[in-house]
Amino acid sequence: MRQFDLVDPATRTRAMEGNHRLHHQWERFDAHGKRRTKANTAIARELAGWCWSAAAPLQNGAAMSTA
């Protein structure tokens, strides 16, 4: 069983949407001919923000939902 299958459906959906968004953003940078270092930095920044938004509720004592 994959680790991804152990996560509750809401978290799984949020992860899939985030992955889709970042991939789409990367394709837009590539289509516009942006340098890879600049595109990588922008994607990494968005990923860091997404990770923070996922972890922020844990700072307030909310439980992480896993199966």
Side-chain angles (χ1 to χ4, degrees):
M1 179 171 275
R2 294 178 12 198
Q3 187 77 16
F4 196 66
D5 296 332
L6 299 175
V7 179
D8 71 295
T11 304
R12 192 177 318 141
T13 300
R14 187 162 186 264
M16 297 279 289
E17 288 172 352
N19 185 43
H20 179 73
R21 174 178 162 62
L22 291 176
H23 180 72
H24 178 71
Q25 191 73 10
W26 171 259
E27 287 181 332
R28 285 185 57 217
F29 285 137
D30 195 40
H32 286 113
K34 299 293 183 185
R35 290 190 314 188
R36 289 190 174 235
T37 53
K38 192 175 270 190
N40 287 341
T41 303
I43 297 298
R45 182 178 181 276
E46 284 203 37
L47 178 59
W50 184 89
C51 290
W52 176 85
S53 73
L58 299 176
Q59 297 291 324
N60 296 328
M64 184 180 282
S65 54
T66 58

